[in-house]
């Protein structure tokens, strides 16, 4: 059960924490304190990763910054959930691959 997911990157080099997410109609970064001023974190997980994986993850995130938010996918998620209430299984008919993202898909 969640309403939003994101990834927080700690940058020792810049003495900042970056929040990477799909929101506000696109994939974007927020500075950690600005994000916290408008959002309540309910649950978080901390992972230790090696420097090469960290670099590759940041590069992946930068390359996707600005990709549109998958608004149509939200309607597809609702469609799938409604069908499941009646015992039917379906894939999201509005999935659009890597051309747009919702937060959980991006993370």
């Amino acid at each position: 059960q969640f309403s939003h997911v994101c990834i927080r990157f700690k940058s020792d080099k810049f003495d900042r924490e970056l929040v990477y997410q799909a929101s506000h109609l696109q994939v974007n970064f927020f500075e950690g304190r600005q994000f916290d001023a408008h959002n309540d974190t309910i649950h978080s997980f901390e992972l230790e990763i090696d420097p090469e994986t960290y670099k590759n993850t940041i590069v992946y995130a930068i390359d996707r910054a600005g990709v549109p938010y998958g608004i149509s996918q939200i309607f597809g998620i609702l469609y799938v959930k409604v069908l499941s209430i009646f015992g039917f299984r379906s894939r999201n008919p509005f999935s659009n691959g890597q051309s747009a993202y919702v937060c959980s898909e991006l993370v």
Side-chain angles (χ1 to χ4, degrees):
Q1 300 289 336
F2 61 89
S3 65
H4 185 63
V5 294
C6 62
I7 298 176
R8 295 179 88 108
F9 296 100
K10 291 182 181 176
S11 173
D12 294 333
K13 184 175 185 175
F14 298 112
D15 192 29
R16 293 286 180 275
E17 191 169 65
L18 301 171
V19 177
Y20 180 65
Q21 63 181 348
S23 71
H24 300 89
L25 303 177
Q26 67 182 352
V27 174
N28 61 70
F29 288 91
F30 264 67
E31 191 276 326
R33 288 173 294 194
Q34 287 189 26
F35 180 85
D36 291 341
H38 300 284
N39 299 278
D40 294 323
T41 300
I42 305 301
H43 226 44
S44 66
F45 303 92
E46 190 168 324
L47 303 172
E48 292 263 342
I49 58 175
D50 63 83
E52 185 67 20
T53 301
Y54 177 81
K55 178 187 171 218
N56 291 339
T57 303
I58 293 287
V59 167
Y60 179 93
I62 291 168
D63 289 349
R64 281 154 187 79
V67 169
Y69 187 84
I71 295 172
S72 63
Q73 288 179 223
I74 298 298
F75 292 107
I77 292 168
L78 177 61
Y79 172 79
V80 169
K81 286 186 181 273
V82 168
L83 285 181
S84 72
I85 291 170
F86 298 104
F88 296 101
R89 292 176 53 101
S90 175
R91 290 185 174 203
N92 187 334
F94 303 115
S95 178
N96 37 23
Q98 295 184 349
S99 64
Y101 291 99
V102 294
C103 64
S104 60
E105 177 184 41
L106 178 68
V107 170

